[in-house]
Amino acid sequence: DAEITQSPRHKITETGRQVTLACHQTWNHNNMFWYRQDLGHGLRLIHYSYGVQDTNKGEVSDGYSVSRSNTEDLPLTLESAASSQTSVYFCASSERRAVYEQYFGPGTRLTVT
Amino acid sequence: GNSVTQMEGPVTLSEEAFLTINCTYTATGYPSLFWYVQYPGEGLQLLLKATKADDKGSNKGFEATYRKETTSFHLEKGSVQVSDSAVYFCALMRGTSYGKLTFGQGTILTVHP
């Protein structure tokens, strides 16, 4: 069965370290998204991609970067982790011609100490 | 800009009670509207959607009607079950945003036997 996976599921890191969160989908979807989930804010869009070599900034992109070298993967990098980036991160994907439904991964809980 | 406002939670109900979770939105044009559900420890999954005014989305006993005149998309269920305990997110997608979702803050629902 097609799926979307994230790794690691839990991560603790120190302030200033570079961290990369992985997202892998086997739906063969063109569109991929990264969100962060914080209490009282719902989910907020960090970055998104509509295909290989395409990346775009979302509403809370400062301090984050992504790259899309193939259809299946969209890794999220925190260049220099800050305590304000402690959050739960979700990756999602959707089909180019059926944009309405996004399929979400199980999430990564990141703690920056 | 676009925004979604949900009723403050958490909501606690007894099994078989009637559920309403209010959702209102602000957006230009004619957005599509969604309810996503997040069960404990999981990612979000689409519950229902409506893509134009007066449409009713329905799934698993849940319903929501797209009311353009009141810019609302309230979620209802006639008889909740313990298994409905989850976090519910209202979201919108503008036609020009091509897959990007704007989420409300989420409402925690707990159903007791």
Side-chain angles (χ1 to χ4, degrees), chain A residues 15-16 22 35 70 73-74 79 86 93-94 96-97 100-101 106 111 113:
Chain A
T15 301
Y35 297 90
N70 58 54
D73 300 290
L74 186 71
E79 304 293 345
T86 293
S93 69
S94 67
R96 184 198 299 277
R97 294 185 181 276
Y100 294 126
E101 180 162 8
T111 302
T113 61

Side-chain angles (χ1 to χ4, degrees), chain A residues 9 31 33 35 37 39-43 45 48 50 90 94 96-97 99-107, chain B residues 32 34 36 38 41-46 49 51 87 89 93 97-106 108:
Chain A
R9 295 294 311 276
N31 306 333
F33 308 86
Y35 297 90
Q37 182 181 23
L39 195 64
H41 291 279
L43 277 77
L45 184 63
Y48 58 100
Y50 290 144
F90 287 99
S94 67
R96 184 198 299 277
R97 294 185 181 276
V99 299
Y100 294 126
E101 180 162 8
Q102 291 190 10
Y103 294 82
F104 282 78
Chain B
S32 296
F34 305 85
Y36 275 80
Q38 183 182 27
E42 298 182 9
L44 281 71
Q45 53 187 276
L46 180 64
K49 69 177 185 287
T51 58
V87 184
F89 292 92
M93 181 187 300
S97 66
Y98 200 64
K100 292 187 294 179
L101 288 165
T102 299
F103 285 91
Q105 68 268 40
I108 300 171

Side-chain angles (χ1 to χ4, degrees), chain A residues 24-35:
Chain A
H24 179 80
Q25 53 97 3
T26 58
W27 295 98
N28 200 34
H29 286 163
N30 291 99
N31 306 333
M32 295 185 73
F33 308 86
W34 272 105
Y35 297 90

Side-chain angles (χ1 to χ4, degrees), chain B residues 2-41:
Chain B
N2 304 326
S3 66
V4 176
T5 302
Q6 293 181 229
M7 65 183 288
E8 293 291 330
V11 175
T12 302
L13 296 173
S14 298
E15 205 164 26
E16 299 184 1
F18 184 85
L19 169 70
T20 299
I21 301 177
N22 290 339
C23 171
T24 58
Y25 69 89
T26 301
T28 56
Y30 301 93
S32 296
L33 301 173
F34 305 85
W35 279 100
Y36 275 80
V37 59
Q38 183 182 27
Y39 297 104

